């Protein structure tokens, strides 16, 4: 009886998949013998315990964030209008559609009425907190699959919880689309991790592909940025496929799943044109076309392969741009142009006066990742471990990629030679490139850090519990023995868990015992006044953020709202925002009446904004877009000119005849001023 060890045979991972991923007893004729009964029993016991721990941690996380939300707002004790106001900005818009649906008579007649058991708002928020359980379980399972031990999953979940400030914001932005989407993205990554394992049976592979498709579809359905996230994922697959580190057949299936998932979402979203013009569809189609054009891409020596790869990359890039341009030209698509303007300005390819792009550029969430993020992540040891694992696996990936491209991978016939063979499993290779690309995204755009930090927990815990990682390090230090590797693999993660528990458990307990209460009397007063003193058919204009709350709390019609992926809505918002610009009262009145406005709400927090610096205040963005010089001390671009009119939101409060002819103040408090528009043309 001999022992078969995992070994890279020939070029690429496809060859490596011909060998078992774990040590297996085999007969001389190659038939695999069953392991000892005790080993099978231990495996079943380990999976059972690991599964129970995963579900328990997921549920505990769900309860944890729900408790934080309750303690922060005293949600169970405040009025319904206060609960709805607590869903700030676009959160209120998203929740308003749920509220509208449950209040519709036809829906109520068609489903079981659960109001007698649970208030609709609690059903909504508990569903989202429940998805956090799915999220944590998916991260746990991914780490477990990568490392082979559920101890890794336990560490990943603990890191996710203790780094909550940087891994999630669900407890204070509950209805955000990313909070619906990211759990499904985590499930998709877990399914891809399993798919990339060697020796899957055909039935297992089909079921896993189905799981990847369902998760991809749900992720795409629930978040407007899905196409950009999956484009990064497709780039990771493309890089690894080019370097012969992933099975080409599986990569092809993943490309097809991404395309079909997006197309299905497009149909369900009433043929959303923005999806058809996405770079993801153009890129994936281009890769599939380029493969059919270029034959023998993975054959030849190092220079030959590099030449083919460079040509392949250029071909894919050109095809992507041509296909995308063609689709947008044919369908006349302009829904995502503001994103590309934003990216162009953000990365220094010329300044822009575009109002929409500058609106993103001036928001902190779309700026660079703050450096204090790393100090917080380091306090839990997460960032230190992550950097350690990232360095080791990057070195291994470079070695494996060079060997694949040079065609120098050989079967090591001697044990001594085999000791120095560097390998990288396909699932680990994917996780490496995934974390690098999403890390770059997070560094450039703070709002996207949640995609990176959650996977950082998975990647770091996998590396700390991985036999391959410790084996590689100990071999480099000439200290490798199988027993030493096993001791380190379990002892260091346990010590890390103990450190995290002792350091952060008291803080978590203090956090759970801290009680606050929601308090926003000015907004409550405004919403109550609107419901009591305006007709149900009244049309309101104002800021996107406030109007989302108006729609939710009062059900009144809006002129604009925070859905910013539609060109017409973006243009309409810019026009409505002239209430904060330097425009004549007659011009503003004409703009508002053109959208059917009955009432306009002005906010002092915008009119006299101090949160942003000069140049990034909303009134500054409007002045520059209108060609006017900005208020206050500082430089202006030479072609900007003084406006002929004062700022509308300030001047209207003086009740001058030129303003009272068109606008009558009907409500005011310390924060808001509501004006009714005259009915004359």
């Amino acid at each position: 009886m001999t022992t078969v060890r995992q070994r890279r045979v020939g070029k690429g991972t496809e060859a490596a998949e011909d060998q078992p991923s774990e040590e297996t007893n085999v007969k001389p004729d190659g038939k695999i013998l069953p392991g000892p009964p005790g080993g099978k029993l231990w495996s079943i016991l380990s999976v059972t315990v690991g599964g129970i721990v995963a579900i328990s941690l997921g549920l505990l996380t769900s309860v944890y964030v729900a408790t934080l939300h309750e303690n922060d707002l005293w949600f169970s004790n405040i009025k319904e209008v206060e609960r709805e106001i607590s869903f700030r900005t676009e959160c209120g818009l998203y929740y308003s559609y749920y509220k509208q649906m449950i209040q519709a008579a036809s829906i109520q007649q068609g489903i079981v009425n659960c109001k007698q058991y649970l208030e609709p708002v609690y059903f909504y928020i508990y569903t989202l907190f429940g998805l956090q359980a799915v999220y944590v379980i998916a991260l746990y399972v991914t780490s477990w699959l990568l490392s082979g031990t559920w101890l890794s999953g336990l560490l990943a979940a603990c890191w996710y919880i203790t780094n909550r400030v940087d891994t999630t914001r669900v407890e204070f932005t509950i209805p955000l689309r990313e909070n619906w989407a990211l759990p499904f993205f985590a499930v998709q990554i877990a399914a891809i991790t399993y798919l990339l394992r060697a020796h899957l049976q055909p039935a297992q592979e089909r079921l896993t592909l189905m799981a990847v498709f369902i998760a991809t579809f749900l992720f795409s359905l629930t978040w407007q940025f899905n196409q950009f996230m999956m484009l990064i994922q497709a780039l990771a697959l493309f890089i690894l496929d080019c370097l012969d580190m992933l099975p080409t057949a599986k990569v092809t299936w993943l490309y097809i799943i991404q395309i079909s998932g997006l197309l299905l979402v497009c149909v369900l979203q009433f043929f959303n044109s923005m999806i058809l013009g996405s770079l993801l569809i153009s890129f994936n189609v281009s890769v599939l076309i380029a493969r059919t054009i270029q034959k023998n891409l993975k054959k030849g020596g190092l220079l030959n392969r590099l030449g083919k790869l460079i040509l392949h990359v250029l071909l894919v890039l050109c095809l992507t741009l041509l296909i995308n341009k063609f689709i947008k030209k044919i369908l006349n698509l302009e829904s995502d142009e503001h994103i590309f303007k934003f990216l162009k300005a953000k990365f220094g390819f010329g300044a822009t006066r575009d109002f929409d792009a500058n609106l993103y550029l001036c928001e902190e969430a779309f700026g660079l990742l703050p450096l204090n993020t790393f100090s917080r992540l380091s306090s839990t040891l997460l960032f230190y471990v992550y950097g350690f694992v990232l360095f080791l696996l990057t070195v291994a990936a470079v070695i494996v990629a060079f060997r694949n491209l040079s065609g120098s991978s050989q079967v090591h016939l001697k044990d001594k030679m085999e000791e120095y063979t560097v390998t990288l499993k396909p699932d680990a290779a994917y996780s490496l490139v995934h974390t690098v690309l999403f890390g770059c995204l997070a560094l450039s755009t703070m709002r996207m850090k949640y995609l990176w930090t959650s996977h950082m927990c998975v990647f770091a815990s996998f590396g700390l519990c991985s036999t391959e990682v410790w084996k590689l390090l100990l071999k480099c230090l000439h200290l490798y023995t199988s027993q030493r590797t096993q001791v380190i693999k379990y002892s260091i993660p346990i010590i890390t868990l103990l450190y995290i528990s002792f350091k952060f458990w008291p803080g978590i307990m203090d956090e759970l015992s801290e009680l606050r209460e929601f308090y926003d009397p000015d907004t409550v007063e405004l919403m109550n006044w609107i419901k009591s003193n305006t007709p149900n058919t009244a049309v309101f204009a104002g800021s996107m953020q406030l109007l989302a709350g108006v729609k939710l709390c009062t059900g009144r019609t809006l002129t604009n709202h925070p859905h910013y992926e539609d060109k017409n809505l973006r243009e309409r918002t810019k026009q409505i925002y002239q209430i904060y610009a330097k425009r004549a009262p007659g011009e503003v009145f004409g703009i508002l009446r053109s959208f059917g406005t009955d009432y306009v709400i002005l906010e002092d927090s915008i009119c006299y904004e101090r949160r942003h610096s000069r140049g990034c205040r909303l009134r500054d963005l409007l002045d520059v877009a209108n060609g006017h010089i900005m208020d206050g001390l500082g430089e202006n671009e030479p072609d900007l000119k003084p406006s002929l009119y004062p700022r509308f939101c300030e001047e209207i409060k003086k009740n001058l005849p030129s303003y009272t002819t068109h606008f009558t103040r009907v409500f005011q408090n310390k924060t808001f001023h509501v004006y009714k528009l005259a009915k004359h043309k």
Side-chain angles (χ1 to χ4, degrees), residues 269-339:
Q269 291 184 350
F270 308 100
F271 296 94
N272 184 346
S273 60
M274 186 176 173
I275 293 176
L276 295 176
S278 68
L279 276 175
L280 174 65
I281 290 179
S282 302
F283 176 80
N284 286 8
V285 170
S286 299
V287 173
L288 297 176
I289 293 174
R291 277 192 191 163
T292 61
I293 296 174
Q294 282 185 288
K295 304 295 183 181
N296 301 322
L297 187 64
K298 298 184 178 181
K299 294 183 179 179
L302 177 61
L303 294 178
N304 190 5
R305 288 283 300 271
L306 285 175
K308 289 180 180 178
L309 272 183
I310 292 171
L311 183 61
H312 183 64
V313 170
L314 291 174
L315 179 59
V316 169
L317 180 62
C318 293
L319 280 173
T320 300
L321 295 176
L322 286 173
I323 292 173
N324 192 254
K325 189 75 173 177
F326 176 76
I327 292 174
K328 288 185 175 180
K329 188 73 173 177
I330 292 295
L331 300 178
N332 192 28
L333 302 180
E334 297 177 312
S335 300
D336 57 358
E337 63 177 9
H338 64 298
I339 297 175

Side-chain angles (χ1 to χ4, degrees), residues 245-412:
M245 297 173 73
L246 290 185
T248 300
K250 292 181 178 180
V251 172
T252 302
W253 272 114
L254 292 174
Y255 286 144
I256 294 171
I257 284 173
Q258 285 187 332
I259 295 173
S260 55
L262 271 187
L263 292 178
L264 181 57
V265 170
C266 176
V267 172
L268 293 178
Q269 291 184 350
F270 308 100
F271 296 94
N272 184 346
S273 60
M274 186 176 173
I275 293 176
L276 295 176
S278 68
L279 276 175
L280 174 65
I281 290 179
S282 302
F283 176 80
N284 286 8
V285 170
S286 299
V287 173
L288 297 176
I289 293 174
R291 277 192 191 163
T292 61
I293 296 174
Q294 282 185 288
K295 304 295 183 181
N296 301 322
L297 187 64
K298 298 184 178 181
K299 294 183 179 179
L302 177 61
L303 294 178
N304 190 5
R305 288 283 300 271
L306 285 175
K308 289 180 180 178
L309 272 183
I310 292 171
L311 183 61
H312 183 64
V313 170
L314 291 174
L315 179 59
V316 169
L317 180 62
C318 293
L319 280 173
T320 300
L321 295 176
L322 286 173
I323 292 173
N324 192 254
K325 189 75 173 177
F326 176 76
I327 292 174
K328 288 185 175 180
K329 188 73 173 177
I330 292 295
L331 300 178
N332 192 28
L333 302 180
E334 297 177 312
S335 300
D336 57 358
E337 63 177 9
H338 64 298
I339 297 175
F340 294 104
K341 288 178 181 178
F342 158 72
L343 292 173
K344 182 180 176 181
K346 182 178 178 65
F347 295 110
F349 296 104
T352 178
R353 290 186 180 177
D354 183 78
F355 175 76
D356 303 317
N358 284 328
L359 207 57
Y360 280 108
L361 285 170
C362 287
E363 283 300 320
E364 184 183 4
F366 291 93
L368 299 177
L369 187 67
L371 292 178
N372 60 6
T373 305
F374 300 104
S375 62
R376 289 194 299 270
L377 295 173
S378 299
S379 67
T380 62
L381 303 182
L382 173 59
F383 190 66
Y384 295 130
V385 176
Y386 176 79
F388 163 73
V389 177
L390 182 64
F391 174 76
L392 285 179
L393 290 187
T394 300
V395 171
V398 170
I399 294 171
V400 171
F402 178 79
R403 190 172 66 227
N404 290 348
L405 292 177
S406 62
S408 61
S409 179
Q410 300 293 334
V411 178
H412 296 286

Side-chain angles (χ1 to χ4, degrees), residues 475-612:
K475 282 184 176 180
C476 291
L477 299 175
H478 303 286
L479 296 172
Y480 172 73
T481 65
S482 178
Q483 293 80 5
R484 185 175 289 144
T485 303
Q486 291 300 311
V487 170
I488 294 175
K489 170 183 174 180
Y490 290 107
S491 61
I492 292 185
I494 290 173
I495 292 170
T496 305
L497 281 168
L498 290 173
Y499 169 80
I500 293 172
S501 300
F502 282 115
K503 183 173 181 180
F504 294 98
W505 182 257
I508 291 175
M509 292 297 100
D510 290 342
E511 192 177 35
L512 290 173
S513 63
E514 188 175 349
L515 303 178
R516 299 187 183 92
E517 183 178 357
F518 175 83
Y519 185 73
D520 188 357
D522 289 350
T523 307
V524 171
E525 184 184 13
L526 172 67
M527 299 304 171
N528 287 333
W529 181 87
I530 292 174
K531 286 194 288 186
S532 303
N533 297 277
T534 65
N536 293 336
T537 56
V539 178
F540 279 79
S543 70
M544 293 185 291
Q545 296 85 348
L546 179 62
L547 289 186
V550 171
K551 175 177 171 58
L552 170 58
C553 297
T554 71
R556 301 301 188 263
T557 305
L558 313 178
T559 56
N560 57 306
H561 59 65
H563 182 73
Y564 223 59
E565 284 73 53
D566 181 88
K567 185 180 180 181
N568 292 328
L569 270 177
R570 290 197 301 271
E571 183 57 35
R572 174 180 288 211
T573 296
K574 180 183 175 182
Q575 291 299 314
I576 295 294
Y577 276 10
Q578 297 303 311
I579 58 179
Y580 296 108
K582 298 173 183 176
R583 299 290 293 269
E587 291 177 337
V588 175
F589 176 79
I591 291 170
L592 295 175
R593 288 303 297 167
S594 69
F595 297 120
T597 307
D598 297 313
Y599 298 87
V600 60
I601 307 173
L602 296 174
E603 301 168 65
D604 286 347
S605 59
I606 298 178
C607 191
Y608 307 108
E609 181 186 0
R610 295 180 180 178
R611 184 170 68 93
H612 292 101

Side-chain angles (χ1 to χ4, degrees), residues 55-74:
I55 295 171
S56 300
L57 279 171
L59 293 174
L60 283 173
T61 304
S62 179
V63 172
Y64 173 53
V65 293
T67 305
L68 289 176
H69 175 258
E70 168 64 24
N71 291 355
D72 189 51
L73 300 174
W74 202 5

Side-chain angles (χ1 to χ4, degrees), residues 135-136 138-143 146 152 155-157 159-160 163 166-168 182 185-193 196 233 236 377 382 385-387 389-390 393 426-439 442 448-463:
Y135 197 1
V136 171
L139 297 177
Y140 181 108
V141 170
T142 304
S143 186
L146 287 167
S152 172
L155 184 56
W159 264 329
Y160 178 85
N163 290 282
D166 295 300
T167 55
T168 182
L182 293 186
F185 192 51
V187 170
Q188 187 228 39
I189 294 170
I192 289 175
T193 302
L196 295 177
Q233 191 176 58
L377 295 173
L382 173 59
V385 176
Y386 176 79
V389 177
L390 182 64
L393 290 187
D427 51 4
Y430 171 76
S431 187
L432 171 65
V433 179
H434 178 101
T435 196
V436 169
L437 293 183
F438 278 96
M448 300 302 170
K449 72 175 180 178
Y450 302 104
L451 290 152
W452 182 44
T453 50
S454 58
H455 193 264
M456 185 188 290
C457 300
V458 170
F459 190 76
S461 60
F462 141 64

Side-chain angles (χ1 to χ4, degrees), residues 95-109:
Y95 181 76
S96 71
Y97 294 116
Y98 166 75
K99 180 181 177 182
Q100 183 177 337
M101 181 184 72
I102 62 170
Q103 289 179 345
S106 58
I107 296 292
Q108 289 180 344
Q109 291 169 0

